[in-house]
Amino acid sequence: MNTIPVVGIDVSKEFSDFCILSPENDVFSRGKIYHHPASMEKALKLFASAEEAFGMKPVCIMESTAYYHKILLRFLNAHGFKVILINPMQSKAIKDFNIRNVKTDKVDAYKLALLYRMKIIRPSIVPDALIQQLRDLCRNHYELSDQLVVAEARIRSGVEQIFPGYDKIFSRISGQASIAVLSAYPTPLDVLRADPEDITTTIMHATRRGQTWSENKASMIVAAAENASKITDTSKAYGAIIRSIAAVVGTLKQSIRETDLMIEQLVEENESLRENRMLLTTIPGIGDLTAAVLIAETGDFDLFKNAKALAAFYGVDPVVKQSGTTCCRSTRLSKRGSPLVRKMLRMIAHNNIHRCAGGKMINPVLAEYYQQKCTCKSAKTAECAVMRKMVGIIFAVMRDRKPFELRTPEEHRNIMKQNCISAVAISA
């Protein structure tokens, strides 16, 4: 008989329901924990009474529900309680075991406690505080980047409607010089009313280019404004829209720069993070930011016994369905891991199988593997196979703590064969 009392906690936004089970699986106590010091202290007294009654400190079970569980998790850990986080997909299985269709937070807390008794749960990996900070920063970077893409599309749409020809002046309509001009002179009428020297000064302050280049750009803007004013609406309403979107673009870019600076500072201040990033960046296609994402989303690479386990964690393993004598192994990925990691893996795979700007192939071995897969699979399926190969490479580099070495399959087999022979000779 398991003699440990169990606390099942069903987490929600403002409060959490809990149920304390005795070692005999009887309900010892029930209640709610609000995110308030008085309510949390009251719950601690009930947990302490369970410890006093059964002679052992209760173990707490809760789902990793978005970010709502984090406050309670940190509070319980600070008071010495063991907290086991589980994936909601695990708890869903036991929540449906009753014939009656009863779904309440009170019942869910009781079933979470029972799930621990069944000894079939697999705890979620809870990163330490440093990894959690790095993870939040990396996710913030890409969330801001997604918002920037939307804002850039909006400003392009607005400019094309009231300022045709402007998008041909700068290489990027959302570049620093372009955003500075649109913030000050959002419509063709604003440009025509301004002094060309002021436009030149605006461009020079936004970029590191010289006066001649800025004057040429200013003259091109004035010429485009003269043509646009004859065929488009130059009302103040459109100017206000363009100016507001330009401000959003500038703010997002500044926020991304500050986030990247914090990521760099966090990695540089920790020797382990710095060493892991150094190892990962030896792999072709992985830069500093991509390495930081892989470290943040994975946590401790030593928790995975092989590349297959790491691939399953990333969600790049295939879905397998079997019933009776029928076994259908589809090519669809499970996608149960971090979407951000899969996004990074796809980008890394793309960089390894296509030529870079200079026409050079950075990983001819994977490029050849991709071409072979394309002869019998679709391009998308072949790319997924390359993603799976990249997971194996990442795992090997982090397991062996050695920089990446580009080898053909034949060279790799010969090296492994020699290592086996040497190991046998040493043991003999």
Side-chain angles (χ1 to χ4, degrees):
M1 174 67 69
N2 194 335
T3 59
I4 303 177
V6 184
V7 181
I9 304 175
D10 187 76
V11 179
S12 60
K13 182 177 180 179
E14 297 182 356
F15 63 87
S16 301
D17 284 85
F18 70 88
C19 176
I20 305 177
L21 286 188
S22 69
E24 292 78 23
N25 293 338
D26 297 324
V27 176
F28 177 79
S29 179
R30 276 193 170 110
K32 293 181 182 294
I33 308 175
Y34 291 87
H35 294 169
H36 187 273
S39 179
M40 290 186 169
E41 292 295 336
K42 182 179 179 181
L44 281 180
K45 292 179 181 179
L46 291 175
F47 294 177
S49 63
E51 179 181 1
E52 183 179 351
F54 305 112
M56 296 191 68
K57 188 181 286 289
V59 59
C60 303
I61 315 294
M62 68 171 70
E63 295 174 335
S64 55
T65 309
Y67 55 86
Y68 300 137
H69 68 279
K70 292 184 178 179
I71 293 178
L72 193 56
L73 172 65
R74 289 192 290 263
F75 178 78
L76 292 175
N77 282 335
H79 286 81
F81 288 94
K82 178 182 178 182
V83 182
I84 298 178
L85 281 182
I86 62 172
N87 193 300
M89 289 187 294
Q90 292 189 74
S91 59
K92 185 179 182 300
I94 191 171
K95 286 179 180 179
D96 296 333
F97 75 91
N98 274 340
I99 296 176
R100 290 189 62 200
N101 189 9
V102 179
K103 172 67 176 72
T104 65
D105 293 343
K106 183 178 178 180
V107 172
D108 287 348
Y110 172 73
K111 291 179 178 178
L112 283 171
L114 283 181
L115 186 61
Y116 177 81
R117 293 295 192 205
M118 297 172 66
K119 298 183 179 180
I120 59 173
I121 62 173
R122 299 188 64 180
S124 298
I125 299 173
V126 182
D128 58 32
L130 185 64
I131 293 296
Q132 186 62 58
Q133 293 175 34
L134 183 61
R135 180 179 298 180
D136 291 340
L137 284 171
C138 291
R139 291 180 179 180
N140 186 61
H141 168 93
Y142 285 98
E143 288 172 2
L144 292 174
S145 298
D146 292 341
Q147 295 175 30
L148 180 60
V149 170
V150 175
E152 288 176 340
R154 288 187 62 199
I155 200 168
R156 176 176 292 278
S157 172
V159 169
E160 288 177 349
Q161 292 181 64
I162 67 170
F163 208 151
Y166 180 87
D167 58 330
K168 305 295 191 299
I169 298 173
F170 296 99
S171 58
R172 289 188 61 193
I173 200 171
S174 60
Q176 288 184 347
S178 176
I179 291 299
V181 171
L182 291 175
S183 298
Y185 316 103
T187 67
L189 188 58
D190 293 324
V191 172
L192 295 176
R193 288 174 177 173
D195 188 341
E197 293 184 0
D198 293 338
I199 300 176
T200 301
T201 303
T202 300
I203 297 173
M204 289 180 63
H205 287 169
T207 64
R208 297 180 179 178
R209 300 298 186 101
Q211 184 172 357
T212 303
W213 184 88
S214 301
E215 288 177 347
N216 290 335
K217 292 297 181 182
S219 62
M220 294 171 65
I221 292 172
V222 172
E226 291 175 349
N227 293 330
S229 63
K230 301 174 183 179
I231 59 175
T232 62
D233 187 354
T234 57
S235 65
K236 294 182 179 180
Y238 292 107
I241 294 173
I242 295 297
R243 185 179 284 111
S244 65
I245 302 174
V248 171
V249 171
T251 301
L252 287 172
K253 286 190 172 183
Q254 179 62 27
S255 299
I256 291 173
R257 286 193 292 269
E258 291 175 356
T259 301
D260 291 347
L261 185 62
M262 185 58 66
I263 291 173
E264 179 66 21
Q265 181 180 345
L266 200 65
V267 173
E268 286 296 327
E269 289 177 351
N270 185 271
E271 183 179 356
S272 177
L273 294 181
R274 193 167 60 250
E275 182 182 354
N276 288 342
R277 186 182 66 177
M278 183 274 294
L279 289 171
L280 287 172
T281 51
T282 62
I283 302 174
I286 298 183
D288 287 345
L289 183 59
T290 305
V293 172
L294 292 173
I295 295 169
E297 296 293 331
T298 308
D300 187 359
F301 285 89
D302 293 335
L303 296 175
F304 303 93
K305 60 181 179 180
N306 51 39
K308 185 177 180 180
L310 185 60
F313 181 75
Y314 288 160
V316 294
D317 56 325
V319 173
V320 180
K321 296 181 180 179
Q322 186 273 333
S323 179
T325 58
T326 303
C327 182
C328 176
R329 177 166 179 162
S330 68
T331 55
R332 182 172 66 87
L333 298 181
S334 66
K335 295 185 179 180
R336 290 195 170 185
S338 168
L340 183 55
V341 168
R342 288 193 297 276
K343 181 179 180 180
M344 295 298 100
L345 289 174
R346 185 177 183 183
M347 181 186 68
I348 298 168
H350 180 86
N351 293 339
N352 276 268
I353 61 180
H354 294 91
R355 297 186 183 276
C356 60
K360 181 181 178 182
M361 190 71 71
I362 63 173
N363 195 327
V365 176
L366 278 181
E368 182 181 356
Y369 173 79
Y370 171 75
Q371 294 298 332
Q372 291 175 351
K373 284 291 182 180
C374 285
T375 59
C376 57
K377 302 287 185 180
S378 66
K380 187 175 181 180
T381 303
E383 191 176 61
C384 290
V386 176
M387 290 169 60
R388 176 61 181 81
K389 282 285 187 181
M390 292 308 308
V391 174
I393 293 173
I394 291 170
F395 177 80
V397 167
M398 301 306 292
R399 176 197 61 196
D400 299 337
R401 312 300 296 174
K402 294 180 180 179
F404 171 80
E405 296 179 13
L406 184 62
R407 304 171 184 167
T408 64
E410 293 76 15
E411 291 173 342
H412 183 71
R413 282 195 292 268
N414 290 335
I415 291 175
M416 296 301 295
K417 184 177 179 180
Q418 292 175 2
N419 291 340
C420 291
I421 294 174
S422 301
V424 172
I426 292 173
S427 62

